[in-house]
């Protein structure tokens, strides 16, 4: 079993829809949770960061962490064609990733249809 | 906005050649990382540096080597490239006490 599971998609939704992206994980030591957005042929760009359980909102984006279920989510409201990208979840027991780096999911390919 | 740079962005090279992938950051971050990313697969850590003159291998075995002579510079070298080295290589950095890592744009390597 991989440490982090993420559905690779593709996930295709119409413009304006609410998008829900999810990851599950098995390592209960993970405390730091991140979502990165990666456009084709680019490096990952940090979108959201959350420590431990709870919600965090930034504009159209909301990140949720449920440590009891080992489940994290990213919600995108009023989705735009420019949101089309691959979304990577990442996590670590340590602030900044530590010596093991960050543990990533495979990424979900999101397509927003105009 | 993260200021981390990678060159070249794309490289096509023949088997057996020596290559160096460059990574520089202007943020003064003490920690730097190299990840390997294959299509549809997770990023995997191949090298890590705590600071100047400190390097460690990551969880993914790699035939590459790294050096950290200056804080801002973390080059990755392949002494003899092989087709199995074809991949995207991503450099990242973070500062001790900060919560996450910032990534460069990546180098796409194709070894023929």
């Amino acid at each position: 079993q991989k440490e982090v599971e993420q559905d690779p998609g593709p996930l295709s939704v119409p413009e304006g829809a609410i998008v829900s992206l999810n990851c599950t994980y098995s390592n209960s030591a993970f405390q730091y949770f991140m979502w990165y957005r990666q456009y084709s042929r680019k490096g990952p760009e940090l979108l959201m960061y959350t420590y431990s359980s709870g919600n965090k909102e930034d504009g159209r984006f909301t990140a949720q962490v449920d440590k009891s279920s080992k489940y994290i989510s990213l919600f995108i409201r009023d989705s735009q064609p420019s949101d089309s990208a691959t979304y990577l979840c990442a996590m670590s027991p340590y602030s900044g990733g530590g010596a093991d780096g960050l543990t990533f999911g495979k990424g979900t390919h999101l397509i927003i249809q105009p | 906005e993260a200021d981390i740079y990678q060159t070249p962005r794309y490289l096509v090279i023949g088997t057996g050649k020596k290559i160096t992938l460059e990574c520089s950051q202007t943020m003064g971050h003490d920690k730097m990382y190299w990840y390997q990313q294959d299509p549809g697969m997770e990023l995997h850590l191949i090298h890590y540096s705590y600071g100047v003159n400190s390097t460690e291998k990551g969880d993914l075995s790699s035939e590459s080597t790294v050096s950290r002579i200056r804080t801002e510079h973390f080059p990755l070298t392949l002494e003899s490239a092989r087709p199995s080295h074809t991949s995207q290589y991503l450099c990242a950095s973070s500062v001790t006490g900060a919560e996450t890592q910032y990534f460069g744009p990546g180098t796409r390597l194709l070894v023929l």
Side-chain angles (χ1 to χ4, degrees):
Chain A
Q1 181 191 9
K2 288 189 180 292
E3 278 194 290
V4 179
E5 299 280 358
Q6 185 177 9
D7 185 341
L11 175 63
S12 183
V13 301
E15 183 176 356
I18 297 175
V19 175
S20 172
L21 304 169
N22 312 291
C23 289
T24 59
Y25 63 94
S26 57
N27 187 346
S28 58
F30 288 145
Q31 297 191 78
Y32 298 87
F33 303 92
M34 286 134 274
W35 286 95
Y36 286 86
R37 178 174 61 196
Q38 187 174 24
Y39 291 112
S40 180
R41 303 186 183 277
K42 303 280 188 182
E45 168 196 9
L46 180 66
L47 268 182
M48 298 286 286
Y49 157 80
T50 312
Y51 170 68
S52 195
S53 285
N55 293 0
K56 186 172 185 178
E57 187 174 323
D58 184 1
R60 297 185 295 113
F61 299 90
T62 300
Q64 287 186 353
V65 174
D66 182 349
K67 288 188 69 180
S68 63
S69 302
K70 297 190 178 67
Y71 187 86
I72 70 171
S73 301
L74 178 71
F75 297 95
I76 307 174
R77 291 183 299 281
D78 188 25
S79 55
Q80 305 293 312
S82 59
D83 295 327
S84 298
T86 296
Y87 289 79
L88 307 166
C89 63
M91 47 199 80
S92 173
Y94 313 107
S95 174
D100 296 326
L102 299 175
T103 301
F104 283 85
K106 287 187 177 182
T108 298
H109 183 206
L110 175 65
I111 301 168
I112 308 297
Q113 301 167 334
Chain B
E1 186 79 19
D3 295 323
I4 182 164
Y5 309 98
Q6 290 186 244
T7 57
R9 292 293 314 280
Y10 304 94
L11 180 61
V12 180
I13 202 161
T15 297
K17 300 291 187 184
K18 178 180 178 179
I19 60 171
T20 297
L21 308 184
E22 302 287 350
C23 175
S24 294
Q25 50 94 5
T26 58
M27 299 170 285
H29 287 176
D30 50 348
K31 296 179 182 175
M32 295 189 74
Y33 310 80
W34 278 102
Y35 290 85
Q36 188 171 335
Q37 184 182 31
D38 293 316
M41 301 299 291
E42 304 91 339
L43 277 75
H44 283 288
L45 183 70
I46 51 175
H47 294 286
Y48 169 56
S49 170
Y50 288 94
V52 171
N53 294 324
S54 146
T55 61
E56 305 267 351
K57 284 191 178 289
D59 60 352
L60 183 68
S61 175
S62 174
E63 293 165 349
S64 58
T65 59
V66 292
S67 63
R68 189 91 183 274
I69 298 172
R70 302 198 315 266
T71 298
E72 63 273 20
H73 194 215
F74 191 40
L76 180 147
T77 299
L78 278 165
E79 290 292 334
S80 180
R82 294 208 298 269
S84 61
H85 296 139
T86 294
S87 188
Q88 174 161 253
Y89 293 84
L90 289 160
C91 181
S93 71
S94 69
V95 62
T96 299
E99 299 87 5
T100 191
Q101 299 174 13
Y102 296 92
F103 283 82
T107 294
R108 285 186 170 268
L109 173 64
L110 173 61
V111 183
L112 302 175

